[in-house]
Every structure is written in C-alpha cells, then in structure tokens.
Amino acid sequence: GMAAPAALQRSVVSPAGRHTASLIFLHGSGDTGQGARAWIKQILNQDMAFQHIKVIYPTAPARPYTPMKGAFSTVWFDRYKISNDCPEHIESIDSMCRGLTDLINDEIKNGIAKNRILIGGFSMGGGMAMHLAYRFHQDLAGVFALSSFLNKDSAVYQALKRNESVLPELFQCHGTADELVLYSWGEETNKMLKSLGVSTSLHTFPNLNHELNRTEIEKLKSWIEKKLPVEAAK
C-alpha cells in the first residue's frame, strides 16, 4: 500500500494557560509555517497568542508548482493557473486534505474536541482550509480565509449542494487593491458559500494589496476568541 505521508513540519505558539482549543493557520504559496508566524509577529509586534488556544503553523511539503513552470515550491496544492476560471487540481488538493486531517487528529488525540478546532489561512492557505472544512470536516469550530478564493466550479460548492448539516462559520477578509487574488474572486466565493448555507462575513480593506495588516489580524483575533471562548473549569 501507499506509505503514510510524513507528518507536516510545524511551528507552534503554546497557550499561556490550560490548552482547551487549537487553531491551525495555513501559509500562502511559497511560504512556510515559520514564515507566516514571523509575518504576523512583525505586524502585531508579538506572536498571535492566547490564554487557552494553541496556534499551529504547519509547512506545506515542497512540490512542483505549475504557475512557476514546475519549479518546486511549498504549496498546499497545485493549480493549472492563478485564476478562478479553470478546473481545480483536485488530486493534489485531496492528498493534502489527508495530511491535514492527520494534523487535526493529533489535536483530537491531545484531548481537544473537534468543535474547539479552527482552521484557516492566507491566500492559498485559506483556499485549502475551505476545502478541508467544508468537504471533510464540517464539525470544526470555524474557518477563516484571508485574501483567498475558490474556483468557479469548486468541489467545495459541489459538496455543499448535497449537504444537510450545520456548517462552520466563515470569516473572510480581502483587500480591494489585491492584484494577485482579485477582490471580486473573494467576493464571489463569499456569495456562493452564503447561497449554499454557510454563515459568512466578508471584511473589506480599501487599498490593501495581497498582504495582511494589523486591523485585519486584530479583527481575526477577536473572531477567534468569539468562536473559541475560554471554557469554564469543569
């Protein structure tokens, strides 16, 4: 049979107090878990840290990436092109969903309930998170997508058309000046998911390009604390 995929490397910010919830943050294409953590730390002047939430920044394995003419890059999946108007590279998406499921299961083995786990990311990381949550893990606490999009005919939409269960809430942010992932792609993703029963919010940042800023991370942090409140001691 197939060899089990190697566990994803990860950079972890431990909670200050008792660990009762976990957050998985997926970096953008070509970045690493450490890189995403350092970027957020630079924006906030400190780690994005919590009293009770462990923050995990995994790194995507390097693979040939078609938009870079097949050069190796740390990407969660391949794309035929950077566009919302082409088929998804479903084989690479599904294989990474298996690797990230192992990461979720590690947290569950550590005693964290599945509805106390949040997943999201920046750019491609947010796209990956939406596939993972809405197709395979609809019992997660929530999903966030920063400067992200889904292709027009996404497998996520197909899965939700057949769905009956309550879905994790989506927190989305996008800059109107984004030249890599157009604001309209993010907006269309939000509208489609909303029409398929996902409770969504879309925070718009005028003049923000394909990047993160402090207001956005602080909004995200408040949303995380709302979705994963401190639990009363049993």
Side-chain angles (χ1 to χ4, degrees), residues 11-83:
S11 178
V12 174
V13 182
S14 298
R18 193 168 70 95
H19 175 207
T20 66
S22 295
L23 167 69
I24 299 168
F25 189 106
L26 305 178
H27 62 73
S29 56
D31 202 354
T32 61
Q34 263 169 316
R37 175 182 174 177
W39 190 19
I40 288 174
K41 191 171 180 170
Q42 184 199 338
I43 293 168
L44 294 177
N45 293 318
Q46 58 182 355
D47 267 314
M48 180 167 71
F50 302 89
Q51 191 59 34
H52 59 295
I53 307 167
K54 172 182 177 183
V55 185
I56 305 161
Y57 295 95
T59 295
R63 57 157 298 130
Y65 188 45
T66 302
M68 286 170 50
K69 300 186 169 54
F72 270 69
S73 186
T74 48
V75 289
W76 297 109
F77 49 86
D78 200 6
R79 295 186 187 284
Y80 296 106
K81 53 180 194 231
I82 299 175
S83 163

Side-chain angles (χ1 to χ4, degrees), residues 3 38 48 90 132 147 164 170 186 202 206:
M48 180 167 71
I90 202 69
L132 188 65
S147 312
E164 297 298 304
L170 175 68
L202 175 57

Side-chain angles (χ1 to χ4, degrees), residues 49-196:
F50 302 89
Q51 191 59 34
H52 59 295
I53 307 167
K54 172 182 177 183
V55 185
I56 305 161
Y57 295 95
T59 295
R63 57 157 298 130
Y65 188 45
T66 302
M68 286 170 50
K69 300 186 169 54
F72 270 69
S73 186
T74 48
V75 289
W76 297 109
F77 49 86
D78 200 6
R79 295 186 187 284
Y80 296 106
K81 53 180 194 231
I82 299 175
S83 163
N84 71 341
D85 208 5
C86 65
E88 288 173 322
H89 196 288
I90 202 69
E91 184 193 0
S92 61
I93 292 173
D94 287 359
S95 123
M96 190 51 63
C97 282
R98 291 192 287 276
L100 288 164
T101 294
D102 291 343
L103 187 60
I104 291 171
N105 288 338
D106 283 349
E107 292 311 293
I108 294 169
K109 283 183 200 123
N110 284 331
I112 303 304
K114 196 141 171 218
N115 65 1
R116 297 280 294 164
I117 300 173
L118 262 182
I119 184 148
F122 174 71
S123 194
M124 175 185 263
M128 185 75 236
M130 291 187 277
H131 274 273
L132 188 65
Y134 294 121
R135 292 177 56 215
F136 300 105
H137 298 283
Q138 297 180 344
D139 43 358
L140 289 168
V143 187
F144 61 92
L146 316 173
S147 312
S148 308
F149 74 102
L150 291 170
N151 293 26
K152 281 187 192 301
D153 207 18
S154 178
V156 173
Y157 303 150
Q158 309 313 318
L160 294 183
K161 279 174 184 152
R162 302 184 296 272
N163 175 67
E164 297 298 304
S165 60
V166 176
L167 297 160
E169 183 186 325
L170 175 68
F171 176 93
Q172 224 180 320
C173 294
H174 215 115
T176 58
D178 196 326
E179 285 162 15
L180 185 68
V181 175
L182 302 184
Y183 177 78
S184 60
W185 302 356
E187 192 177 37
E188 190 178 308
T189 299
N190 193 279
K191 284 198 176 108
M192 273 300 291
L193 290 172
K194 189 172 242 143
S195 76
L196 292 165

